[in-house]
Protein backbone atom coordinates (compact mmCIF):
# COMPACT_ATOMS: atom_id res chain seq x y z
CA UNK A 1 0.00 0.00 0.00
CA UNK A 2 1.43 3.41 -1.00
CA UNK A 3 2.00 6.16 1.52
CA UNK A 4 -1.01 8.38 2.22
CA UNK A 5 -0.71 12.15 2.61
CA UNK A 6 -3.10 14.15 4.77
CA UNK A 7 -3.18 17.94 4.98
CA UNK A 8 -4.54 19.47 8.18
CA UNK A 9 -5.52 23.10 7.60
CA UNK A 10 -5.89 25.54 10.50
CA UNK A 11 -4.24 28.77 9.37
CA UNK A 12 -6.52 31.11 11.33
CA UNK A 13 -6.61 29.05 14.55
CA UNK A 14 -4.32 31.30 16.51
CA UNK A 15 -5.73 31.47 20.06
CA UNK A 16 -8.51 30.49 22.44
CA UNK A 17 -10.83 27.55 21.89
CA UNK A 18 -10.13 27.20 18.19
CA UNK A 19 -6.38 26.95 18.81
CA UNK A 20 -7.10 24.21 21.37
CA UNK A 21 -8.99 22.25 18.71
CA UNK A 22 -6.04 22.48 16.31
CA UNK A 23 -3.44 21.73 18.98
CA UNK A 24 -5.35 18.69 20.29
CA UNK A 25 -5.84 17.38 16.76
CA UNK A 26 -2.15 17.62 15.88
CA UNK A 27 -1.03 16.21 19.21
CA UNK A 28 -3.22 13.14 18.77
CA UNK A 29 -2.43 12.76 15.06
CA UNK A 30 1.30 12.86 15.77
CA UNK A 31 0.93 9.73 17.88
CA UNK A 32 -1.71 8.13 15.65
CA UNK A 33 0.57 8.01 12.60
CA UNK A 34 3.52 6.44 14.44
CA UNK A 35 4.57 3.29 12.58
CA UNK A 36 1.97 3.99 9.88
CA UNK A 37 2.65 4.83 6.25
CA UNK A 38 1.06 8.27 6.56
CA UNK A 39 2.57 11.68 5.83
CA UNK A 40 1.08 14.61 7.75
CA UNK A 41 1.28 18.21 6.54
CA UNK A 42 -0.09 20.92 8.86
CA UNK A 43 -0.92 24.44 7.68
CA UNK A 44 -0.84 26.73 10.72
CA UNK A 45 -0.59 30.38 11.68
CA UNK A 46 2.64 30.03 13.69
CA UNK A 47 4.62 26.78 13.63
CA UNK A 48 6.70 27.80 16.68
CA UNK A 49 3.67 26.95 18.84
CA UNK A 50 3.93 23.26 17.97
CA UNK A 51 6.54 20.62 18.66
CA UNK A 52 5.02 17.35 17.49
CA UNK A 53 6.85 14.55 15.72
CA UNK A 54 5.76 13.05 12.41
CA UNK A 55 4.29 16.34 11.14
CA UNK A 56 5.64 18.75 8.54
CA UNK A 57 4.56 22.32 9.34
CA UNK A 58 3.93 25.24 6.97
CA UNK A 59 3.04 28.59 8.50
CA UNK A 60 0.86 31.43 7.25
CA UNK A 61 1.36 34.35 9.67
CA UNK A 62 -0.50 36.75 7.40
CA UNK A 63 -3.67 34.63 7.40
CA UNK A 64 -5.23 36.71 10.19
CA UNK A 65 -4.38 40.06 8.59
CA UNK A 66 -7.78 40.36 6.95
CA UNK A 67 -10.71 38.30 5.74
CA UNK A 68 -9.69 38.96 2.14
CA UNK A 69 -6.32 37.36 2.86
CA UNK A 70 -7.98 34.38 4.48
CA UNK A 71 -10.35 33.93 1.54
CA UNK A 72 -7.47 34.21 -0.92
CA UNK A 73 -5.71 31.31 0.79
CA UNK A 74 -8.83 29.15 1.06
CA UNK A 75 -10.19 29.61 -2.45
CA UNK A 76 -7.13 30.39 -4.59
CA UNK A 77 -3.72 29.68 -3.09
CA UNK A 78 -4.64 26.32 -1.53
CA UNK A 79 -5.59 24.94 -4.94
CA UNK A 80 -2.05 25.64 -6.12
CA UNK A 81 -0.69 24.12 -2.90
CA UNK A 82 -2.80 20.99 -3.28
CA UNK A 83 -1.35 20.44 -6.75
CA UNK A 84 2.10 20.53 -5.17
CA UNK A 85 1.29 18.31 -2.15
CA UNK A 86 -0.98 15.87 -4.04
CA UNK A 87 -2.83 14.92 -0.82
CA UNK A 88 -5.05 11.91 -0.44
CA UNK A 89 -6.97 13.75 2.28
CA UNK A 90 -7.52 17.45 2.93
CA UNK A 91 -9.02 18.10 6.37
CA UNK A 92 -10.05 21.70 7.01
CA UNK A 93 -10.43 22.31 10.74
CA UNK A 94 -11.88 25.80 10.49
CA UNK A 95 -15.39 25.69 9.08
CA UNK A 96 -14.90 26.43 5.38
CA UNK A 97 -14.31 23.96 2.56
CA UNK A 98 -11.46 25.29 0.38
CA UNK A 99 -10.91 24.89 -3.35
CA UNK A 100 -8.36 22.08 -3.42
CA UNK A 101 -7.54 18.96 -5.36
CA UNK A 102 -7.61 15.90 -3.10
CA UNK A 103 -9.00 12.39 -3.26
CA UNK A 104 -11.08 13.01 -0.14
CA UNK A 105 -12.08 16.17 1.70
CA UNK A 106 -13.40 16.70 5.20
CA UNK A 107 -14.37 19.80 7.15
CA UNK A 108 -14.80 20.42 10.88
CA UNK A 109 -17.43 23.10 11.59
CA UNK A 110 -17.40 24.69 15.02
CA UNK A 111 -18.25 28.38 14.53
CA UNK A 112 -21.62 28.95 16.24
CA UNK A 113 -22.66 32.36 14.88
CA UNK A 114 -24.20 30.79 11.78
CA UNK A 115 -27.17 30.05 14.08
CA UNK A 116 -27.24 33.49 15.69
CA UNK A 117 -29.43 36.48 14.88
CA UNK A 118 -27.29 39.48 15.76
CA UNK A 119 -28.74 42.62 17.34
CA UNK A 120 -27.66 46.27 17.49
CA UNK A 121 -26.05 45.37 20.82
CA UNK A 122 -23.70 42.93 19.08
CA UNK A 123 -22.85 45.41 16.33
CA UNK A 124 -22.17 48.14 18.89
CA UNK A 125 -19.72 46.19 21.05
CA UNK A 126 -18.37 43.48 18.76
CA UNK A 127 -19.25 44.08 15.11
CA UNK A 128 -17.46 40.87 14.08
CA UNK A 129 -20.27 38.85 15.66
CA UNK A 130 -22.74 40.62 13.41
CA UNK A 131 -20.53 40.13 10.36
CA UNK A 132 -19.91 36.46 11.14
CA UNK A 133 -23.60 35.74 11.76
CA UNK A 134 -24.24 36.82 8.16
CA UNK A 135 -21.02 35.74 6.46
CA UNK A 136 -20.50 32.27 7.89
CA UNK A 137 -23.83 30.93 6.70
CA UNK A 138 -22.70 31.51 3.12
CA UNK A 139 -19.05 30.54 3.61
CA UNK A 140 -20.10 27.20 5.12
CA UNK A 141 -22.17 26.58 2.01
CA UNK A 142 -19.33 26.98 -0.51
CA UNK A 143 -18.07 23.51 -1.56
CA UNK A 144 -19.72 21.85 1.47
CA UNK A 145 -21.24 19.10 -0.69
CA UNK A 146 -17.78 18.12 -1.95
CA UNK A 147 -16.81 16.74 1.45
CA UNK A 148 -16.82 13.07 2.29
CA UNK A 149 -18.12 14.12 5.71
CA UNK A 150 -18.85 17.26 7.69
CA UNK A 151 -17.94 17.03 11.38
CA UNK A 152 -19.91 19.00 13.98
CA UNK A 153 -19.85 18.91 17.77
CA UNK A 154 -23.50 18.31 18.69
CA UNK A 155 -26.64 16.60 17.43
CA UNK A 156 -28.69 19.80 17.26
CA UNK A 157 -26.06 21.30 14.93
CA UNK A 158 -26.19 18.16 12.79
CA UNK A 159 -29.95 18.60 12.43
CA UNK A 160 -29.57 22.28 11.50
CA UNK A 161 -26.83 21.58 8.94
CA UNK A 162 -28.88 18.87 7.27
CA UNK A 163 -31.80 21.28 7.00
CA UNK A 164 -29.90 24.43 5.94
CA UNK A 165 -27.46 22.84 3.49
CA UNK A 166 -29.47 19.82 2.36
CA UNK A 167 -26.71 17.30 3.12
CA UNK A 168 -26.81 13.86 4.73
CA UNK A 169 -23.15 13.24 5.58
CA UNK A 170 -22.94 15.18 8.84
CA UNK A 171 -21.11 13.32 11.62
CA UNK A 172 -21.36 14.28 15.29
CA UNK A 173 -17.89 14.41 16.80
CA UNK A 174 -18.03 15.23 20.48
CA UNK A 175 -15.05 17.32 21.67
CA UNK A 176 -12.49 15.14 23.38
CA UNK A 177 -12.27 16.15 27.02
CA UNK A 178 -9.64 14.96 29.44
CA UNK A 179 -11.05 15.38 32.92
CA UNK A 180 -8.86 17.70 34.93
CA UNK A 181 -9.65 18.77 38.49
CA UNK A 182 -7.83 20.39 41.37
CA UNK A 183 -7.93 19.38 45.01
CA UNK A 184 -6.79 22.88 45.96
CA UNK A 185 -9.09 25.87 46.33
CA UNK A 186 -8.76 29.62 46.16
CA UNK A 187 -9.69 31.38 49.39
CA UNK A 188 -13.24 32.72 49.23
CA UNK A 189 -15.45 34.34 51.85
CA UNK A 190 -17.10 31.42 53.66
CA UNK A 191 -20.06 33.63 54.61
CA UNK A 192 -21.07 34.03 50.97
CA UNK A 193 -22.59 31.74 48.35
CA UNK A 194 -20.31 31.87 45.32
CA UNK A 195 -21.45 31.68 41.71
CA UNK A 196 -19.02 31.38 38.79
CA UNK A 197 -19.36 32.22 35.10
CA UNK A 198 -16.05 31.47 33.31
CA UNK A 199 -16.19 33.05 29.89
CA UNK A 200 -14.58 35.56 27.56
CA UNK A 201 -16.64 38.78 27.32
CA UNK A 202 -18.61 38.37 24.10
CA UNK A 203 -22.03 39.96 23.75
CA UNK A 204 -23.81 36.67 23.03
CA UNK A 205 -22.49 35.25 26.31
CA UNK A 206 -25.38 37.13 27.95
CA UNK A 207 -23.52 38.60 30.94
CA UNK A 208 -26.06 41.33 31.54
CA UNK A 209 -28.82 38.84 32.25
CA UNK A 210 -26.96 37.97 35.46
CA UNK A 211 -26.50 41.61 36.51
CA UNK A 212 -30.19 42.30 35.89
CA UNK A 213 -31.07 39.24 37.97
CA UNK A 214 -28.84 40.42 40.84
CA UNK A 215 -30.62 43.77 40.86
CA UNK A 216 -33.95 41.96 41.31
CA UNK A 217 -32.84 40.05 44.42
CA UNK A 218 -34.01 40.85 47.92
CA UNK A 219 -31.44 42.69 50.02
CA UNK A 220 -31.10 39.65 52.28
CA UNK A 221 -29.98 37.53 49.31
CA UNK A 222 -27.75 40.24 47.84
CA UNK A 223 -25.77 40.30 51.07
CA UNK A 224 -25.10 36.57 50.84
CA UNK A 225 -23.79 36.19 47.28
CA UNK A 226 -20.71 36.76 45.17
CA UNK A 227 -20.48 36.32 41.39
CA UNK A 228 -17.06 35.63 39.89
CA UNK A 229 -16.14 36.41 36.28
CA UNK A 230 -12.88 35.86 34.42
CA UNK A 231 -11.07 37.77 31.62
CA UNK A 232 -12.87 41.09 32.19
CA UNK A 233 -10.58 43.17 34.39
CA UNK A 234 -7.77 44.86 32.41
CA UNK A 235 -9.12 43.44 29.16
CA UNK A 236 -8.82 45.95 26.28
CA UNK A 237 -11.79 44.42 24.46
CA UNK A 238 -14.54 47.04 24.01
CA UNK A 239 -17.28 44.95 25.62
CA UNK A 240 -15.05 43.97 28.55
CA UNK A 241 -14.33 47.63 29.29
CA UNK A 242 -18.05 48.42 29.11
CA UNK A 243 -18.94 45.65 31.57
CA UNK A 244 -16.19 46.66 33.99
CA UNK A 245 -17.20 50.32 33.94
CA UNK A 246 -20.94 49.68 34.33
CA UNK A 247 -20.96 46.79 36.81
CA UNK A 248 -17.50 46.71 38.40
CA UNK A 249 -18.65 48.60 41.49
CA UNK A 250 -21.46 46.16 42.33
CA UNK A 251 -20.60 44.59 45.71
CA UNK A 252 -21.89 41.21 44.51
CA UNK A 253 -19.50 41.14 41.55
CA UNK A 254 -15.86 40.04 41.35
CA UNK A 255 -14.32 40.83 37.96
CA UNK A 256 -11.07 38.96 37.52
CA UNK A 257 -8.57 39.38 34.70
CA UNK A 258 -6.79 36.57 32.89
CA UNK A 259 -5.98 33.69 35.22
CA UNK A 260 -3.88 30.58 34.72
CA UNK A 261 -5.39 27.17 34.09
CA UNK A 262 -4.24 26.15 37.57
CA UNK A 263 -6.04 29.10 39.17
CA UNK A 264 -9.13 28.41 37.10
CA UNK A 265 -9.35 24.85 38.40
CA UNK A 266 -8.88 26.05 41.97
CA UNK A 267 -11.74 28.49 41.47
CA UNK A 268 -14.00 25.76 40.08
CA UNK A 269 -13.29 23.74 43.19
CA UNK A 270 -13.98 26.64 45.55
CA UNK A 271 -17.27 28.03 44.23
CA UNK A 272 -20.72 26.72 45.09
CA UNK A 273 -22.44 26.88 41.71
CA UNK A 274 -21.64 27.30 38.01
CA UNK A 275 -24.03 29.60 36.14
CA UNK A 276 -23.96 29.69 32.35
CA UNK A 277 -26.33 32.09 30.55
CA UNK A 278 -24.70 32.08 27.08
CA UNK A 279 -27.11 32.31 24.15
CA UNK A 280 -24.82 30.50 21.77
CA UNK A 281 -22.22 27.73 21.96
CA UNK A 282 -21.20 24.79 19.83
CA UNK A 283 -20.33 22.96 23.03
CA UNK A 284 -20.00 24.92 26.27
CA UNK A 285 -16.85 23.54 27.93
CA UNK A 286 -17.50 25.12 31.38
CA UNK A 287 -20.59 22.93 31.67
CA UNK A 288 -18.46 19.83 31.14
CA UNK A 289 -15.89 21.14 33.61
CA UNK A 290 -18.60 21.86 36.18
CA UNK A 291 -19.69 18.23 35.98
CA UNK A 292 -16.10 17.09 36.51
CA UNK A 293 -16.16 18.97 39.82
CA UNK A 294 -19.68 17.69 40.60
CA UNK A 295 -20.92 21.27 40.95
CA UNK A 296 -24.55 22.39 40.80
CA UNK A 297 -25.33 24.05 37.47
CA UNK A 298 -27.77 26.77 36.43
CA UNK A 299 -27.75 27.00 32.63
CA UNK A 300 -29.46 28.48 29.60
CA UNK A 301 -32.54 26.56 28.51
CA UNK A 302 -31.10 25.91 25.05
CA UNK A 303 -30.24 22.75 23.05
CA UNK A 304 -26.45 23.19 23.30
CA UNK A 305 -26.58 23.35 27.11
CA UNK A 306 -28.82 20.31 27.51
CA UNK A 307 -26.72 18.23 25.14
CA UNK A 308 -23.47 19.28 26.82
CA UNK A 309 -24.77 18.63 30.33
CA UNK A 310 -26.04 15.19 29.35
CA UNK A 311 -27.18 12.97 32.20
CA UNK A 312 -26.96 15.06 35.36
CA UNK A 313 -29.18 15.56 38.38
CA UNK A 314 -27.88 18.83 39.83
CA UNK A 315 -28.92 21.16 37.03
CA UNK A 316 -31.76 23.58 36.33
CA UNK A 317 -32.36 25.66 33.21
CA UNK A 318 -33.62 29.21 32.69
CA UNK A 319 -34.95 31.38 29.88
CA UNK A 320 -32.07 33.46 28.50
CA UNK A 321 -34.35 36.52 28.30
CA UNK A 322 -35.85 36.24 31.78
CA UNK A 323 -33.80 37.81 34.63
CA UNK A 324 -36.69 37.31 37.04
CA UNK A 325 -36.50 33.55 36.55
CA UNK A 326 -32.73 33.63 37.11
CA UNK A 327 -33.20 35.69 40.27
CA UNK A 328 -35.63 33.10 41.60
CA UNK A 329 -33.19 30.24 40.94
CA UNK A 330 -30.41 32.18 42.68
CA UNK A 331 -32.70 32.81 45.66
CA UNK A 332 -33.71 29.16 45.87
CA UNK A 333 -30.10 28.05 45.64
CA UNK A 334 -28.95 30.40 48.41
CA UNK A 335 -31.88 29.36 50.62
CA UNK A 336 -31.17 25.68 49.86
CA UNK A 337 -34.75 25.21 48.62
CA UNK A 338 -33.91 24.63 44.97
CA UNK A 339 -35.56 21.69 43.24
CA UNK A 340 -33.29 20.70 40.37
CA UNK A 341 -34.90 19.89 37.05
CA UNK A 342 -32.19 17.42 36.18
CA UNK A 343 -31.34 16.43 32.63
CA UNK A 344 -31.38 13.19 30.65
CA UNK A 345 -29.42 12.56 27.45
CA UNK A 346 -31.84 11.23 24.82
CA UNK A 347 -29.62 11.26 21.71
CA UNK A 348 -28.74 8.18 19.71
CA UNK A 349 -24.94 7.92 19.99
CA UNK A 350 -24.29 4.81 17.92
CA UNK A 351 -22.70 6.79 15.06
CA UNK A 352 -21.11 9.48 17.25
CA UNK A 353 -17.33 9.87 17.34
CA UNK A 354 -16.00 10.66 20.79
CA UNK A 355 -12.29 11.34 20.30
CA UNK A 356 -9.71 12.32 17.70
CA UNK A 357 -8.54 8.76 17.11
CA UNK A 358 -12.09 7.80 16.15
CA UNK A 359 -12.14 10.68 13.67
CA UNK A 360 -8.81 9.56 12.20
CA UNK A 361 -10.05 5.97 11.92
CA UNK A 362 -13.13 7.24 10.10
CA UNK A 363 -11.14 9.49 7.75
CA UNK A 364 -8.56 6.90 6.74
CA UNK A 365 -11.08 4.09 6.34
CA UNK A 366 -13.79 6.06 4.52
Amino acid sequence: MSKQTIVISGINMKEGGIFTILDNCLQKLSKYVENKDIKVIALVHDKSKFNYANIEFFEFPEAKNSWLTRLYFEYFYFKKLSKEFKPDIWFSLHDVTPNVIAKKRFVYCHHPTVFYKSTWYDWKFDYKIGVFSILYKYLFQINIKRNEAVFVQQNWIKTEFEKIYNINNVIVSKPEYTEEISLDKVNLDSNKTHFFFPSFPRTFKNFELLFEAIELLDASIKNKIKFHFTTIKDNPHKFAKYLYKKYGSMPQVDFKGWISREELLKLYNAVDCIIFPSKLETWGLPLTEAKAFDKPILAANLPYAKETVGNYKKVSFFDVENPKQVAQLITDFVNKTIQYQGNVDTFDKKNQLNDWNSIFDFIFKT
Side-chain angles (χ1 to χ4, degrees):
M1 184 178 177
S2 60
K3 190 166 192 171
Q4 292 191 80
T5 298
I6 181 172
V7 173
I8 303 292
S9 177
I11 60 171
N12 75 317
M13 305 173 85
K14 180 182 177 182
E15 58 195 0
I18 60 172
F19 176 79
T20 301
I21 291 172
L22 174 62
D23 187 50
N24 287 348
C25 173
L26 296 177
Q27 180 184 28
K28 298 291 183 179
L29 187 56
S30 171
K31 295 179 180 178
Y32 181 88
V33 299
E34 284 181 356
N35 303 316
K36 292 185 175 72
D37 214 11
I38 298 173
K39 178 182 180 179
V40 181
I41 297 171
L43 313 182
V44 300
H45 181 269
D46 179 0
K47 64 183 182 182
S48 69
K49 292 185 176 182
F50 306 94
N51 185 27
Y52 300 130
N54 310 310
I55 299 177
E56 185 177 356
F57 289 92
F58 292 82
E59 65 179 6
F60 297 81
E62 64 272 44
K64 292 282 284 185
N65 288 355
S66 72
W67 258 98
L68 287 177
T69 305
R70 165 85 188 281
L71 296 178
Y72 165 73
F73 283 127
E74 297 289 355
Y75 300 122
F76 297 96
Y77 184 74
F78 281 174
K79 186 169 186 178
K80 175 184 175 182
L81 207 59
S82 67
K83 290 178 180 178
E84 178 184 335
F85 291 153
K86 296 180 172 59
D88 297 280
I89 298 165
W90 191 289
F91 187 10
S92 177
L93 283 184
H94 43 65
D95 305 304
V96 300
T97 307
N99 285 329
V100 295
I101 298 172
K103 293 178 183 177
K104 294 186 290 185
R105 291 191 247 177
F106 300 87
V107 65
Y108 187 99
C109 295
H110 50 81
H111 204 289
T113 52
V114 66
F115 306 109
Y116 187 60
K117 290 184 178 180
S118 59
T119 65
W120 71 268
Y121 187 74
D122 301 304
W123 287 94
K124 177 180 178 181
F125 290 108
D126 196 347
Y127 74 92
K128 288 183 179 180
I129 292 172
V131 172
F132 289 161
S133 67
I134 298 170
L135 185 63
Y136 260 90
K137 183 174 182 179
Y138 298 101
L139 289 180
F140 277 31
Q141 184 171 302
I142 298 172
N143 297 329
I144 195 169
K145 293 187 178 182
R146 295 183 180 181
N147 290 293
E148 294 288 324
V150 176
F151 297 107
V152 299
Q153 294 185 336
Q154 292 196 328
N155 282 276
W156 73 271
I157 303 175
K158 177 180 186 289
T159 301
E160 289 296 320
F161 265 57
E162 290 172 338
K163 182 168 60 177
I164 295 171
Y165 300 116
N166 191 29
I167 54 179
N168 59 7
N169 60 342
V170 185
I171 305 293
V172 176
S173 175
K174 179 182 174 183
E176 186 171 353
Y177 173 68
T178 301
E179 188 170 294
E180 186 181 9
I181 62 173
S182 174
L183 299 178
D184 295 326
K185 298 181 179 181
V186 297
N187 291 321
L188 299 177
D189 186 348
S190 60
N191 295 315
K192 303 279 187 182
T193 299
H194 296 273
F195 296 85
F196 184 29
F197 179 29
S199 182
F200 190 84
R202 301 290 189 195
T203 49
F204 61 82
K205 297 290 186 175
N206 209 15
F207 283 85
E208 295 203 74
L209 177 73
L210 301 184
F211 305 129
E212 291 170 13
I214 292 170
E215 293 288 0
L216 295 174
L217 296 171
D218 288 340
S220 61
I221 299 297
K222 286 183 180 179
N223 292 332
K224 296 177 182 178
I225 62 172
K226 199 76 170 181
F227 276 72
H228 302 271
F229 302 89
T230 56
T231 71
I232 293 180
K233 185 180 180 182
D234 300 323
N235 188 333
H237 190 276
K238 185 177 181 180
F239 187 55
K241 291 194 288 187
Y242 162 76
L243 292 175
Y244 191 81
K245 182 178 179 180
K246 186 170 182 179
Y247 302 106
S249 61
M250 291 179 69
Q252 298 84 13
V253 170
D254 171 30
F255 281 145
K256 301 179 187 299
W258 297 91
I259 61 175
S260 67
R261 178 66 179 170
E262 182 182 6
E263 286 299 305
L264 178 68
L265 295 175
K266 289 180 181 179
L267 190 54
Y268 267 116
N269 197 27
V271 299
D272 300 291
C273 180
I274 307 302
I275 191 161
F276 203 76
S278 180
K279 294 180 180 180
L280 184 68
E281 303 285 333
T282 48
W283 186 253
L285 180 59
L287 296 172
T288 302
E289 292 174 328
K291 284 182 63 177
F293 281 93
D294 195 33
K295 294 293 180 178
I297 299 171
L298 304 179
N301 187 21
L302 292 172
Y304 84 81
K306 292 189 173 182
E307 190 164 346
T308 303
V309 169
N311 295 317
Y312 201 58
K313 292 181 179 180
K314 295 189 293 185
V315 60
S316 284
F317 300 95
F318 53 79
D319 185 333
V320 293
E321 305 288 348
N322 192 336
K324 186 176 180 180
Q325 188 179 34
V326 177
Q328 186 60 58
L329 284 171
I330 293 169
T331 300
D332 292 344
F333 186 85
V334 173
N335 289 334
K336 295 181 171 56
T337 58
I338 190 168
Q339 298 291 317
Y340 295 110
Q341 291 172 248
N343 192 58
V344 177
D345 191 341
T346 59
F347 293 103
D348 182 359
K349 298 182 179 180
K350 65 181 180 181
N351 294 318
Q352 179 174 295
L353 305 177
N354 295 314
D355 52 53
W356 283 110
N357 283 349
S358 297
I359 293 178
F360 303 146
D361 284 343
F362 180 89
I363 286 174
F364 287 109
K365 293 176 182 177
T366 297

